[in-house]
Each structure stands twice: as structure tokens, then as C-alpha cells.
Amino acid sequence: MNRNAYIVGTGHHVPERKLTNADLEKIVDTTDEWIVTRTGIRERRICDEQTANSDISSEAARNAMKAAGWKPEDVQMIILGTVTPDYTFPSTAALVADRLGLGHIPAYDFEAGCSGFIYGLIQAKAFIESGLLDRVLVIGADMLTKITNWDDRTTCVLFGDGAGAVAISSEGPGGRLGGFHWGSNGSVGEHLIQPGGGSRNPASAETIEQNLHTIQMDGSRIFKHAVRAMRDACLKALEMDGTPKSEVDLLISHQANLRIIDATARALELQPEQVFINIQKYGNTSAASIPIALDEAVREGTIQKPNTVVLAAFGAGLTWAGIILHWEEGTEGK
Ligand code: UT7
């Protein structure tokens, strides 16, 4: 018997505190006009010093479980894509499992930059379709403002904090996980990197002094890779799914730059109303951007049933990923 994997509940959580473009004008040499026209971002959410990834991830996961009607004992595994865990180890996923009282289930973090959430969906799909598991929680969560160089105007205006989660089940109805495409290219990985703190440049007074613990990005180079990789990820996922572009109802893309989202939408020949955009509110939340947008699209009723939805992402690694969701009749709009 053919097994499928369905998204049966979505949730997200973002910190209360807003950092606007006007606030950033006071910190670095930038303008609201530059940020809005080059990126589409107007404000972003930012955590306080006490809050860590597991705090917001737990809230997002709780919301997804509630939407799915799951009790703690229903969850069989929890996986979390992030580049900003609470600690290098133990994993943030294990901390979240404990916080939510999920018992001693398998829990692990993985790292695929901003593509992390779709990488997580593909892993959950594999576990469920193979018959190994029936119910998996996937979280995408990041706090890039914790590793931002606030003196670097080329990066500090871009990022925000947030977490998104989905409950994935072998039993629908829901958003069925269809064809996908994922990939990486480490040969250009140094263009988007946190160089310090790992085994190459262990944390030291020197790495701190040189700001190696913060994000370094060659934005325009990444931009060009992103446009190409996102387009290819979408088209190859559609091909694997056997779905023509003309049947796509909605694109939910990683929210890194409005111009990249527009280019991806053009490649899919979509109308503006077929593209979900919330970058103006949250900036680039890395692995959280797609699950936050997906949850908003579900809760606002932007996703209708039936709907074919394309998710597409690009990020550090470099990595990229696309997946097709078939939102089927009978979903509770949760
Ligand atoms: O999520 C992971 C993947 N990340 C991405 O996909 C990010 C991809 N890259 C981008 O989104 C864009 O490249 C950026 C938004 C980062 C930059 O936009 P850009 O159009 O590529 O600008 P640029 O880097 O070519 O810089 C253009 C100018 C430069 O000045 P000059 O050299 O022309 O005089 C920059 O110094 O804009 C200047 N600039 C700024 N000016 C005001 C850079 N940052 C700022 C700023 N405010 N914040």
C-alpha cells in the first residue's frame, strides 16, 4: 500500500520586540528607502538576551501540535533545522522534546541554512513513507540576530528571529508532501559563513576580536546563486511531481529578498496574488521563514482546498530545496 505524508498542523512563534528600519538608521549608515527598495524589509522581530532558540521553537511546536490535535504521546520524532541552536550540543530538538513532555523520542538538529525547513520536510517524508514512523514534528528556527555584526550595514539590516513548526502524519487530510528537489554546493560555501567558533577556527579572543563569530556574506554573489538555484529547485520539484507550472496555485518562498522572490515567481509564471510574502514584517528568519509563512497562509485562508503549493528555499552551504504540497479537500484550515 502506498503511504503518504501530510502536514496536519502548522504553528509559529516570533518575539514581540520589533526592530524597524528607522531603528537601524540610528545604528548604521543606512536608510529605510535603501532597505525597502533593495530587500522589501520594513521591520523584523528580535529576541531579548535571555531568550534562546529552544524557547521560541517550543512555542512554535506547541502551536503546531494544537492545530493538529496531537497530544505529547502522539509525537514519535522531532527534528529541527537551524544554524543558531541553543548550544553546539546538546541538540535544541532534544531540549524542545523535554520541554514539551514528548518523552524519550528520537530528536536531533540538522543544519542546511535557510533551506533547513524543506530539508526537514523531505526527511520526515522519507521516514513516514518508508513506514518507519507515523507522526513527526519538523521545526525550522533561527536567531540570526544573535550572530549578527551590528557594525556591518550590508548584513545587519537583513535578519530577524523566529520559529515555525509543522506536524506531519501518515494520515491525511492535509498538505500532502509531493515531489521535491534538494542539493548543495560546498565549493562556494565561504560566501555565506560564520567562520569562527567551529573546529576550523575555535572560539578565542582573536576570533571574537575579528568578528569571526558573526555572519559574513557576499550578498550580490549569493543573490545570483539564489535566483538560479530557487528557479531550478521549483522546476525540478514540479517535474518529479508530474505537475505543470500552470497548475501551481501558490508560491511560498524563503523570504530573503523580495527581488529573489519576484524572480522565482516569474520563472513559475505566477500572478502577484499567487505569491505569499511576509518579508516586510519579519526580514530573513533563515530556516524559520517558510514555516512562518506557511502557518500564516494556512491561518489566513490563503491556502484553499484543493491547492497546489510550491515551497522553495536557498541558503548557506550553499544549499537549495523545493517541494510541492497538495493541499487536499477535507483539511480543517488549521
Ligand atoms: O538567506 C540566505 C540567502 N541570502 C540571500 O539570499 C541574500 C542575497 N543577497 C541579497 O539579498 C542582496 O545582495 C543584498 C540585499 C544583501 C544587497 O543588495 P544588492 O543589491 O546586492 O547590493 P550590493 O551588495 O551590490 O550593494 C550595493 C550598494 C553598495 O554601495 P556601492 O559599493 O555601490 O557604493 C553597498 O555598500 O549598496 C551599499 N549598501 C548599503 N547602503 C545602504 C549595502 N548595504 C547597505 C545598507 N544601506 N544597509
Side-chain angles (χ1 to χ4, degrees), residues 29-30 34 38-39 114 153-154 157-158 192 217 219-220 222-223 254 256-257 259-260 284 314-315:
D29 178 17
T30 192
W34 190 95
R38 307 300 271 199
T39 71
C114 306
R153 71 171 183 173
T154 68
V157 301
L158 304 174
L192 177 49
M217 179 169 76
S220 52
I222 294 293
F223 189 99
H254 172 46
N257 187 311
R259 291 179 291 145
I260 299 175
N284 179 348
F314 176 84

Side-chain angles (χ1 to χ4, degrees), residues 227 230-232 234-235 245 262-270:
V227 168
M230 297 256 284
R231 179 197 60 209
D232 290 354
C234 291
L235 296 179
K245 283 196 280 200
D262 286 345
T264 310
R266 273 198 303 280
L268 292 176
E269 296 171 29
L270 297 176

Side-chain angles (χ1 to χ4, degrees), residues 242-323:
T243 299
K245 283 196 280 200
S246 56
E247 283 179 20
V248 174
D249 296 299
L250 186 69
L251 168 68
I252 301 181
S253 153
H254 172 46
Q255 309 279 309
N257 187 311
L258 197 50
R259 291 179 291 145
I260 299 175
I261 300 171
D262 286 345
T264 310
R266 273 198 303 280
L268 292 176
E269 296 171 29
L270 297 176
Q271 299 302 313
E273 64 274 15
Q274 294 177 294
V275 184
F276 193 88
I277 292 166
N278 64 6
I279 189 171
Q280 70 282 1
K281 295 193 287 183
Y282 304 124
N284 179 348
T285 57
S286 186
S289 86
I290 292 178
I292 292 173
L294 180 64
D295 186 39
E296 289 192 341
V298 168
R299 287 175 196 268
E300 291 168 8
T302 307
I303 293 180
Q304 302 288 317
K305 296 107 199 173
N307 254 183
T308 298
V309 180
V310 177
L311 307 185
F314 176 84
L318 303 178
T319 57
W320 53 87
I323 191 164

